[in-house]
């Protein structure tokens, strides 16, 4: 269940109270799309029933009277990722509004992944494959994560090198998380 225009934890609580029933408590996601929502992100993220957040770029940009370009909305995306990560919940990036240029979609999805989003919304079915391609770890990424996790184990968790690059705790944690996800979905 997606709650549009979420601006406070109370919005999530009200929806939960209206839809929850014995044996039925669906995930509730907040659509974050206003400056007021960004001002209250830490409180929203603490809503007990919150399962994740989505970035509503079009409404946000209209509210602040800015463009929809990646650079223009970088701060908002970063703030949302930071708050969601601090609360240990997933964040989904806004759709790419360009329907026909899949290259723009791919670039936007790659940027969203690089920034820390767990996925990307879409407004047309032909976008699904590109988004899935970008957010599904490749066999090379999984193999690299397995190598880093193995190096972590071999080094006893101390700083080491993998393929000529220094690796330590943050890399070990990211690699183990990716390996666990890959093992869970395979």
């Amino acid at each position: 269940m997606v709650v549009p225009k979420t601006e406070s934890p109370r919005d999530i609580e009200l929806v939960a109270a209206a839809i929850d029933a014995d044996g039925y408590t669906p995930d509730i996601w907040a659509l974050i799309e206003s400056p007021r929502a960004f001002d209250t992100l830490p409180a929203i993220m603490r809503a007990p029933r919150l399962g994740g957040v989505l970035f509503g770029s079009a409404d946000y940009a209209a509210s602040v009277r800015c463009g929809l370009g990646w650079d223009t909305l970088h701060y908002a995306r970063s703030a949302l990722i930071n708050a969601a990560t601090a609360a240990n919940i997933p964040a989904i990036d806004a759709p790419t509004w360009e329907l026909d240029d899949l290259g723009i979609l791919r670039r936007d999805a790659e940027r969203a992944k690089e920034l820390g989003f767990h996925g990307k919304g879409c407004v047309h079915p032909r976008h699904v494959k590109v988004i899935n391609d970008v957010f599904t770890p490749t066999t090379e990424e999984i193999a690299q994560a397995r190598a880093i996790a193995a190096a972590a184990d071999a080094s006893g968790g101390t700083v080491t090198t993998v393929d000529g690059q220094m690796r330590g705790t943050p890399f070990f944690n990211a690699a183990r998380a990716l390996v666990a996800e890959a093992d869970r979905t395979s």
Side-chain angles (χ1 to χ4, degrees), residues 118-181:
H118 288 79
K120 186 161 183 60
C122 67
V123 292
H124 196 281
R126 70 174 158 251
H127 287 188
V128 173
K129 182 180 181 334
V130 172
I131 293 168
N132 284 343
D133 286 349
V134 170
F135 283 94
T136 300
T138 65
T139 54
E140 294 81 21
E141 289 170 329
I142 295 168
Q144 181 68 20
R146 289 188 193 287
I148 293 170
D153 294 342
S155 72
T158 62
V159 172
T160 189
T161 59
V162 178
D163 296 331
Q165 295 183 344
M166 191 227 42
R167 296 294 183 237
T169 302
F171 299 97
F172 301 157
N173 293 344
R176 287 179 177 133
L178 179 56
V179 168
E181 178 186 332

Side-chain angles (χ1 to χ4, degrees), residues 37-118:
F38 279 89
D39 278 350
T40 59
L41 275 178
I44 292 170
M45 298 300 167
R46 287 190 298 271
R49 288 291 311 290
L50 189 64
V53 292
L54 301 106
F55 179 41
S57 65
D59 283 307
Y60 179 81
S63 293
V64 300
R65 294 189 231 166
C66 70
L68 285 167
W70 186 267
D71 291 339
T72 304
L73 296 175
H74 191 267
Y75 168 78
R77 284 182 164 104
S78 297
L80 186 59
I81 283 295
N82 189 73
T85 301
N88 198 30
I89 62 171
I92 304 297
D93 189 31
T96 294
W97 304 107
E98 168 61 49
L99 296 180
D100 297 324
D101 190 333
L102 297 182
I104 291 173
L105 171 64
R106 179 170 295 280
R107 185 193 68 223
D108 286 354
E110 288 169 350
R111 286 176 172 172
K113 181 180 178 182
E114 179 76 17
L115 199 56
F117 282 99
H118 288 79

